[in-house]
Structure formats: C-alpha cells, structure tokens
Amino acid sequence: MIAALAGVAGLMAAAGVAQALVGAALVERFARRRRPLSGSHRPVSVLKPLHGDEPMLFEALSSLCRQAVGPFQVVCGVQDPGDPAIAVVGRLQQAFPGADIALVVDATQHGPNRKVGNLINMLPTARHDVLVIADSDVH
C-alpha cells in the first residue's frame, strides 16, 4: 500500500515538474516574440473611475495629463449626475485644453461592484485598443 502511494506521489511530482518546464518554455518563447516599440507608442485609453471630490483629485488627474508619452486618452467616469468629481473633471478639461479628456456620467449598474460597473459604463467611450485602469488617487 505504501509503495503504491509513493508511486502515485512520484507520478504527481513528475507531472508538476513537466508542467513547470512546459510553462517556462512557453514564457521564454513569448518573451522572444515581443517586438520593442519603434520610436512611437501605441495609443492608450486610461480609464479613471471616480466617486466624489477626494483629497488631491485634481492633482492626481493633472499628473496624468502631464505625461510625456502619447497619444493617449483619459476617460473619467462617475455614476451619479450630482457627483462633485464632475466639476473637478471640468477644471481639468479647462486646464489641459489640448488633452483628450472624456467624461462619462452613467448610473447603469452592472452587478454589485459599483467600481466595475463604472468601468463597464466607460468602456464604449475608450477609443484605443490598449486600456489602462488607474484609480482616482494614482499620481
């Protein structure tokens, strides 16, 4: 009985090692196929789910607009039409008139998680294939 269990354990260990080796080979193959960006960056849409005028919100959003990479779009989203973050986004649009800044106000719920619902509401406004999700307090 013990010999049989030892044999099963040995087979399972061998399968785990084989899986790890195959995974390492696939990761290496993927890493070799990646092409470096050639002087220009791929366009990016940054999704910023907002809720309220939290401390330093304008500064956090401004730091994003001052990025030296591009092209990129900033999509801010709120679910409440009375959310004070809307005024902050308005100030941001005035402070950075050349920036591609969109505001989505949509109360549609998509399940129990309000932040995920807010992101789902913003998604149709995103114009680029590469998406970055950044919380409102990220500087």
Side-chain angles (χ1 to χ4, degrees):
M1 174 82 160
I2 293 177
L5 290 176
V8 169
L11 286 174
M12 291 176 69
V17 169
Q19 181 183 12
L21 291 173
V22 169
L26 291 173
V27 167
E28 181 182 347
R29 188 175 97 186
F30 176 77
R32 275 188 274 124
R33 288 187 351 178
R34 289 185 58 192
R35 288 177 271 148
L37 294 174
S38 59
S40 64
H41 294 77
R42 291 181 64 188
V44 173
S45 289
V46 180
L47 305 182
K48 288 288 226 182
L50 306 176
H51 179 73
D53 183 6
E54 58 190 59
M56 298 185 65
L57 177 60
F58 182 80
E59 289 77 9
L61 296 174
S62 295
S63 71
L64 176 61
C65 293
R66 286 192 294 272
Q67 296 294 314
V69 295
F72 68 95
Q73 171 195 31
V74 179
V75 181
C76 299
V78 297
Q79 291 185 308
D80 178 3
D83 194 311
I86 294 171
V88 177
V89 174
R91 283 182 28 221
L92 185 73
Q93 290 168 323
Q94 289 177 345
F96 297 91
D100 186 359
I101 303 170
L103 174 63
V104 175
V105 181
D106 189 341
T108 306
Q109 281 287 64
H110 303 277
N113 189 313
R114 293 179 57 86
K115 179 178 177 180
V116 171
N118 198 3
L119 289 166
I120 291 170
N121 293 339
M122 288 185 275
L123 189 56
T125 304
R127 295 182 308 125
H128 305 298
D129 292 335
V130 178
L131 299 176
V132 174
I133 299 172
D135 284 341
S136 58
D137 61 350
V138 174
H139 292 248

